[in-house]
Amino acid sequence: MRSKECSNKEYLNLVDEIKKHDALYFEKHQPLISDYEYDLLVKQCEEIEKLHPEWVSASSPTQTVREKPTKGFYQVAHSVPMLSLANSYSEEEIRDFIKRVHKILPKDDMEYSAELKMDGIAVSLRYEKGKFVRALTRGNGKIGDDITKNIATISSLPKEINAKNLPDILELRAEVFMLKKVFSELNEQKEEAGQDVWANPRNAAAGSLKLLDTEEVKRRSLSIMVYGLAEGIKEIPTQEGVQKFLKEKKFPTFSKGHFAVCSSAEDLLKFANSIEEKREDLPFEIDGIVIKVNTIRDWEKLGATGKSPRWAIAYKYAPLQAKTKIHDITLQVGRTGVLTPVAELDPVFLAGSTISRATLHNEDEIQRKDIRKGDHVIIEKGGDVIPKVVSVDFTKREKSSKPFVMPDHCPVCSSTVVKKEGEVAVRCSNTMCAAKNERRLMFFASKPAMNIDNLGEKVMKKLIDHGLVKSMSDIYRLTEKDIASLEGFKEKSVQNLLSSIETSKKRSLARFILALGVPFVGTNTAELIAEYAKDVKNLQKLTEDELILIDGVGDKVAHSFVEYFSNENHLHEIEQMLELGVKPKSSKLVQVEGHSFSGKSFVLTGSLEEYSRSDAAALIKERGGKVSSSVTKKTDFVVAGAEPGSKYDKAVTLKVKILTEGEFIKML
Ligand code: IVH
């Protein structure tokens, strides 16, 4: 549709279509189109409205901020409205932005800050007298959802800052996101559990922030990047100064190369391009850079148009997409037997690597996008390392093409497949399926599980193909001679592998439980069960009733766990591993230099040099200690780093033992 020739009806249809996409994005967190496609629709809408201002509908995206209030959360008014940003996609548009600024403020020495545009969810954070008191979503820009409890689960966010020289009220702007690594891990668990996967890390973060179960939010391991100041500290003259302030106060903010001050469109573009080159290697998703007038006093003079400020603009990157053809659709059998359809692609170069396969997730996803063998498709590299198929070019589809049908037999062992009610996944029903066993063994040795260095998927495949490893315990039976018989292994690599296998014998009980591959038991549940069971010998004694009592363990996990441990083969295999020297460590049993962490409560204050707060907390918890956020008479130790906050003073008043970082490390 060309905007010039568009009829009013077509315009209203476009507004409606955008509204539908908004609902899919904000309420269901399952968008059908990419951000890029969405932006194009909005742009089209804007162009039509420029030509026909008399048509502008109240529900047009140009008139509304897209987010809707969520049931179950209190709605609270923002003390400073949360605006959105205008988008730009080209050098020309950046130049236009600079020209617009110059027209209002004709200065020759204008500076612009440039920083990452985090692809997450905007939140406002309020601190009163140095204490974190509230977090709100953007909502409609004026009123947002109160998500304080969920934001409080983010360990890198300081809940208390040194209030010296601070105004009573400080309001910050930040973006909540999910690290690519966390996203992949959680999505893998979802796929194994037969649940719908998230489309990208931003949807995962958005869905997580709107959960009412704070414990579940905690398990989603969300992250935050603070990038702005909306209220407080009038004394900071520039955005550069804001960055410095945030860093000083230990807020997670942009690292050195991710923020710059530029004085021309060329410089801004240079920064944007240098970041785009690194985009894939970043641990989180970005969708561009944000350019802001550096001097904050100028912001007021520049003001805002409708819903976005005139002093800032987003420069967005085109998505990492490529066109190719699906020459086949194959099926991969996972460790719990889930059959995952995979698109075998004509190799295509995309963002630094050659892609020849893309996951199609499940049958529902294939049907929704109507993906078929022989189709010409657009693939995209999202936050997940595995590329996905975005859409099909139906104009190029051959007449003879047929819809994909999921087989009713496992492609590896030919056993029947089953689809449980309410699940999208189809599974191979054979517990002894060779493909399942292969994936299980690969998972056992993988990083999140027993973390056996030098025993990646390729080496494991070789060991399986040579008949040297058939079961988990076989890994611990491998001899020097066995490994040396594999192609590519020399004396040094044989020793390296043997030593990694030896080291893995002392992994934690939680890792051991995870490595067993009990259906529905992921990293977090494994940790909860390990903490409860304390010893590997206790695992088989756990009953469903007992397991359900563990906070965070549901019926499904409890049932699956007990079922796993009532299988003689599984018990025999575990027994064999223990006999071969595997000795999973229980976290609560660690005792160091006469100090028991067990049951002791710790409070951390100030910044530690050796550890981040979350690492220090993890070390305490690993040893059976507890970490609290406030000091009470019951607190056993306060660990004080540099610039400790009011918790330090409280510890002095209550005569709680204060440890320096050095003393704490000694204790560890
Ligand atoms: S500044 C007046 N800086 O992008 C709005 N926003 O598309 C000021 N975002 O709502 C926003 N990274 O959610 C700003 N470094 C950054 C950002 C950023 C991501 C998001 C934010 C904003 C959206 C606008």
Side-chain angles (χ1 to χ4, degrees), residues 66 81-87 114-123 138 173-176 225-228 239 243 254 258-259 286-292 299 304 307-314 316:
R66 300 149 71 195
M82 283 183 83
L83 300 176
S84 185
L85 286 175
N87 290 328
E115 60 199 44
L116 304 188
K117 182 167 181 341
M118 304 298 300
D119 197 5
I121 315 300
V123 292
R138 178 165 59 196
R173 296 290 190 249
E175 195 87 350
V176 174
M225 186 75 89
V226 185
Y227 53 66
Q239 176 67 8
Q243 276 302 302
F254 300 115
H258 297 166
F259 180 91
I286 58 166
D287 55 348
I289 62 159
V290 177
I291 300 169
K292 299 173 185 170
W299 294 5
K307 56 189 181 108
S308 42
R310 283 200 198 87
W311 46 264
I313 194 163
K316 289 181 86 171

Side-chain angles (χ1 to χ4, degrees), residues 33-285:
I33 56 173
S34 70
D35 269 20
Y36 188 70
E37 290 165 300
Y38 179 89
D39 287 346
L40 289 181
L41 293 180
V42 174
K43 233 181 180 146
Q44 205 176 6
C45 188
E46 283 167 357
E47 275 166 23
I48 301 170
E49 290 177 355
K50 254 189 230 155
L51 292 169
H52 297 282
E54 73 281 10
W55 288 356
V56 177
S57 147
S59 36
S60 156
T62 62
Q63 304 300 303
T64 50
V65 177
R66 300 149 71 195
E67 211 176 328
K68 298 261 179 338
T70 318
K71 280 192 198 113
F73 290 90
Y74 287 108
Q75 274 78 52
V76 180
H78 290 293
S79 61
V80 179
M82 283 183 83
L83 300 176
S84 185
L85 286 175
N87 290 328
S88 67
Y89 291 94
S90 65
E91 183 170 350
E92 200 191 332
E93 285 176 288
I94 294 188
R95 287 189 194 284
D96 286 348
F97 164 72
I98 291 180
K99 271 189 216 149
R100 283 197 299 274
V101 170
H102 194 77
K103 214 166 151 191
I104 305 173
L105 290 174
K107 287 195 228 169
D108 289 332
D109 54 353
M110 202 62 157
E111 280 185 339
Y112 297 91
S113 69
E115 60 199 44
L116 304 188
K117 182 167 181 341
M118 304 298 300
D119 197 5
I121 315 300
V123 292
S124 78
L125 308 169
R126 192 176 172 88
Y127 285 76
E128 285 175 8
K129 297 201 168 124
K131 281 202 177 74
F132 168 63
V133 293
R134 186 181 296 147
L136 302 178
T137 63
R138 178 165 59 196
N140 65 6
K142 295 189 187 85
I143 297 171
D145 290 331
D146 186 334
I147 49 161
T148 312
K149 280 192 185 149
N150 289 349
I151 293 296
T153 67
I154 302 177
S155 53
S156 62
L157 182 76
K159 311 299 175 315
E160 202 164 346
I161 48 175
N162 188 348
K164 247 182 253 161
N165 305 327
L166 273 191
D168 279 357
I169 289 170
L170 196 65
E171 194 159 308
L172 307 170
R173 296 290 190 249
E175 195 87 350
V176 174
F177 59 96
M178 189 180 272
L179 289 169
K180 290 178 188 172
K181 196 176 71 187
V182 175
F183 167 75
S184 302
E185 247 176 67
L186 294 182
N187 243 2
E188 205 175 287
Q189 286 171 22
K190 274 173 150 279
E191 203 153 316
E192 286 292 351
Q195 297 164 351
D196 273 341
V197 290
W198 289 304
N200 54 47
R202 192 206 34 231
N203 288 315
S208 305
L209 275 186
K210 296 295 176 75
L211 292 172
L212 294 171
D213 176 357
T214 321
E215 284 304 311
E216 181 55 32
V217 181
K218 209 175 191 173
R219 270 174 235 130
R220 305 281 174 94
S221 302
L222 295 171
S223 305
I224 198 162
M225 186 75 89
V226 185
Y227 53 66
L229 208 53
E231 205 181 330
I233 316 272
K234 289 252 167 9
E235 294 78 17
I236 302 181
T238 58
Q239 176 67 8
E240 191 183 10
V242 169
Q243 276 302 302
K244 231 168 117 193
F245 166 79
L246 293 171
K247 218 165 247 173
E248 264 166 32
K249 294 292 172 197
K250 308 281 183 240
F251 284 104
T253 189
F254 300 115
S255 57
K256 216 167 157 219
H258 297 166
F259 180 91
V261 177
C262 304
S263 48
S264 66
E266 286 81 46
D267 282 358
L268 287 166
L269 233 3
K270 227 188 249 168
F271 176 78
N273 293 339
S274 75
I275 296 287
E276 192 169 12
E277 273 169 28
K278 292 182 238 156
R279 183 179 180 187
E280 259 208 293
D281 302 327
L282 294 173
F284 42 72
E285 292 239 290

